[in-house]
Amino acid sequence: MNFIEKVKSLLFNNENRNENNNRQNTSSNEYKGAVVRFDHSRGYGFIHSKDFDQLVFLHISDVEVKVRRGQNVKFDVEKSRKGWKAINVKVEGAW
């Protein structure tokens, strides 16, 4: 095995490890919940989900439309350094 083949092997193995780590930090299940609190001036709030069984952080950048307290949402979760964060949030309607 020459030098270039060794480098390619190392690169591809690292890419596969990174993909596996990303999958472990993100849940592919879609959860349902309701917006418990959202402060538009600060740009964040929280979702309560019985499916996920805890409050999940919601940042304004992860929502397509303006949300308000009581709205039903569907979302995925992602592990952040401070806990679980909602991503791919879709608003369904009033609670």
Side-chain angles (χ1 to χ4, degrees), residues 22-33:
N22 288 340
R23 286 185 192 135
Q24 290 173 354
N25 290 336
T26 304
S27 170
S28 62
N29 295 335
E30 190 170 64
Y31 297 98
K32 292 182 180 182

Side-chain angles (χ1 to χ4, degrees), residues 30-56:
E30 190 170 64
Y31 297 98
K32 292 182 180 182
V35 177
V36 177
R37 180 183 143 204
F38 197 87
D39 187 338
H40 288 280
S41 63
R42 293 185 178 186
Y44 71 90
F46 296 93
I47 298 171
H48 178 265
S49 173
K50 291 181 183 176
D51 297 334
F52 198 67
D53 199 29
Q54 59 183 300
L55 287 178
V56 180

Side-chain angles (χ1 to χ4, degrees), residues 7 16 21 43 50 61 63 65 90 92:
V7 171
N16 290 339
N21 286 340
K50 291 181 183 176
S61 65
V63 183
V65 297
K90 300 173 188 100
E92 290 189 318

